[in-house]
């Protein structure tokens, strides 16, 4: 088994320097740290978490507990967190709950509590207090809004603002008969201040219409009972076009759904963007290679991963510090699917 002594010999540094580099210690230069990490990678060095934990009281592993790894948003976020954690000398233990309360409980009790120094979690069933109880004092960062978890570190996607940006952009290109794909209608006054990520997107779409003095009609909202995935988007847009409904733009609740909408419109000979413009939200990599390529409001996954790792590391080091609350950044990326 490769040891720190082997890495030190090949990298031409001391064992202490190797330890500092693998732990992300700022006392050594970035050049030295990268050299050590490169040698460790070449030698296929792996960390013995049990031995490290016995020596230091820490495993230098963090749990990343997400709802569904079939969801492209979760895949991209988990990938970015894992890579960023490695640059900080941490290992990410990635788990999915599949929206099950029992699974959430088991992961927190038997994986995170046993092996990890802290956890990043996108909860679906457990309350904040239930999560806290299952962690038995372990630090946590939740993918929730500040109002949902005021005394816990949080980072939240800016879903409402992102859909406002997407809708506003389509309107700026001349589209006037828009549909919202992915959720049913809810009155704006009932959801304008919501913390629910789905309803926030519905509200963002409506806010853009109202800002431009356009009418919001319930029939503009198209639910997708089989989920926010390409197959669902393709099937629903087929039904919509064949029904004779007139529209010149589709604002999709996420990119995965938008990919299916593009495929479905192509199937039926509807020209994109000449006849219908399509825009999504997330910024998944597949949007770049579909034809036509997808205009989207893209989350900055790398920036979010860096913030998440920094916040959780700080919480591990200072459990009693005041809670911090951040919002993910996003930006409009214009491609071929819009005018």
């Amino acid at each position: 088994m490769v040891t720190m002594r082997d890495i030190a010999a090949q990298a031409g540094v001391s064992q202490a320097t190797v330890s500092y580099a693998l732990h992300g210690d700022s006392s050594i230069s970035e050049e030295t740290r990268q050299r050590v990490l490169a040698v460790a990678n070449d030698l296929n060095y792996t960390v013995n978490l049990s031995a490290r934990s016995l020596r230091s009281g820490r495993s230098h592993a963090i749990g990343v507990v997400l709802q569904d790894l079939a969801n492209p948003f979760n895949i991209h976020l988990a990938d970015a967190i894992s890579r960023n954690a490695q640059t900080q000398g941490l290992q990410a233990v990635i788990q999915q709950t599949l929206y099950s309360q029992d699974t959430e409980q088991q992961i927190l009790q038997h994986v995170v509590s046993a092996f990890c120094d802290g956890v990043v979690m996108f909860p679906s069933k457990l309350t904040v207090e239930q999560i806290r109880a299952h962690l038995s004092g372990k630090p946590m960062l939740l993918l929730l809004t500040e109002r949902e978890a005021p005394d816990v570190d949080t980072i939240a996607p800016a879903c409402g603002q992102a859909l406002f940006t997407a809708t506003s952009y389509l309107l700026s290109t001349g589209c006037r008969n828009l549909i919202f794909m992915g959720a049913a209608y809810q009155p704006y006054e009932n959801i304008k201040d919501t913390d629910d990520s789905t309803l926030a997107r519905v509200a963002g779409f409506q806010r853009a219409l109202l800002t431009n003095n356009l009418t919001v009609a319930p029939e503009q909202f198209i639910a997708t009972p089989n989920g926010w995935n390409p197959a669902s988007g393709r099937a629903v847009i087929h039904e919509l076009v064949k029904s004779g409904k007139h529209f010149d733009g589709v604002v999709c609740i996420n990119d995965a759904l938008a990919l299916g909408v593009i495929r479905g419109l192509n199937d039926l000979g509807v020209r994109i963007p000449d006849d219908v413009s399509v825009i999504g939200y997330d910024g998944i990599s597949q949007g770049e290679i579909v034809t036509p390529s997808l205009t989207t409001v893209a989350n900055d996954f790398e920036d979010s991963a860096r913030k998440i790792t920094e916040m959780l590391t700080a919480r591990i080091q200072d459990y009693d510090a005041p809670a911090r609350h951040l919002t993910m950044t996003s930006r409009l990326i214009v491609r071929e699917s819009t005018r």
Side-chain angles (χ1 to χ4, degrees), residues 157-169 200-201 204-205 207 251-253 279-282 296-299 328-332:
C159 298
Q161 181 60 40
L163 269 294
F164 173 82
T165 299
T167 307
S168 298
Y169 178 71
R201 301 177 206 211
F205 174 79
R207 180 161 64 93
V251 178
C252 295
I253 205 162
I279 193 167
Y281 165 54
D282 270 345
T296 185
V297 178
N299 288 304
M328 292 184 181
T329 58
S330 59
R331 64 187 179 94
L332 176 68

Side-chain angles (χ1 to χ4, degrees), residues 34-278:
Q34 291 299 331
R35 184 166 83 251
V36 170
L37 292 177
V39 171
N41 184 63
D42 290 342
L43 296 177
N44 294 316
Y45 175 76
T46 58
V47 178
N48 185 327
L49 293 180
S50 296
R52 177 190 280 187
S53 181
L54 287 172
R55 289 193 302 271
S56 67
R58 287 179 54 189
S59 67
H60 295 272
I62 59 172
V64 181
V65 182
L66 302 172
Q67 296 166 342
D68 179 4
L69 292 179
N71 182 323
F73 171 89
N74 290 331
I75 293 172
H76 282 68
L77 184 61
D79 172 66
I81 293 173
S82 177
R83 287 185 285 102
N84 189 271
Q86 288 180 3
T87 69
Q88 305 301 315
L90 301 171
Q91 298 298 317
V93 180
I94 298 169
Q95 297 282 299
Q96 63 177 341
T97 65
L98 298 176
Y99 307 95
S100 163
Q101 181 169 329
D102 287 343
T103 304
E104 286 183 335
Q105 292 173 344
Q106 290 173 19
I107 290 172
L108 294 179
Q109 290 175 340
H110 303 305
V111 179
V112 174
S113 291
F115 301 110
C116 301
D117 295 326
V119 63
V120 180
M121 184 175 185
F122 199 162
S124 60
K125 302 296 183 183
L126 294 178
T127 66
V128 174
E129 290 309 313
Q130 287 172 325
I131 294 169
R132 198 193 309 271
H134 289 305
L135 287 175
S136 300
K138 287 283 182 77
M140 61 179 170
L141 183 153
L142 302 180
L143 274 73
L144 295 174
T145 65
E146 179 178 354
R147 286 188 301 188
E148 291 175 296
D151 60 344
V152 175
D153 291 332
T154 64
I155 186 167
C159 298
Q161 181 60 40
L163 269 294
F164 173 82
T165 299
T167 307
S168 298
Y169 178 71
L170 283 197
L171 293 173
S172 75
T173 66
C175 293
R176 283 299 178 270
N177 296 299
L178 300 182
I179 59 171
F180 180 87
M181 179 78 73
Y185 170 76
Q186 294 288 335
Y188 181 67
E189 289 300 318
N190 293 352
I191 60 173
K192 64 181 181 180
D193 297 318
T194 184
D195 289 315
D196 181 273
S197 63
T198 299
L199 295 180
R201 301 177 206 211
V202 175
F205 174 79
Q206 295 189 52
R207 180 161 64 93
L209 295 181
L210 295 171
T211 299
N212 285 272
N213 298 313
L214 295 173
T215 301
V216 176
E219 56 268 23
Q220 291 177 274
F221 297 81
I222 312 299
T224 50
N226 293 321
W228 299 349
N229 54 70
S232 182
R234 185 183 187 187
V236 172
I237 203 68
H238 275 189
E239 295 177 6
L240 205 62
V241 171
K242 291 174 181 178
S243 74
K245 185 175 181 63
H246 175 65
F247 54 95
D248 60 6
V250 185
V251 178
C252 295
I253 205 162
N254 72 350
D255 281 355
L257 198 63
L259 298 181
V261 169
I262 287 176
R263 175 58 190 269
L265 292 173
N266 284 335
D267 292 341
L268 299 173
V270 178
R271 298 174 302 167
I272 308 169
D274 296 353
D275 299 327
V276 175
S277 291
V278 181

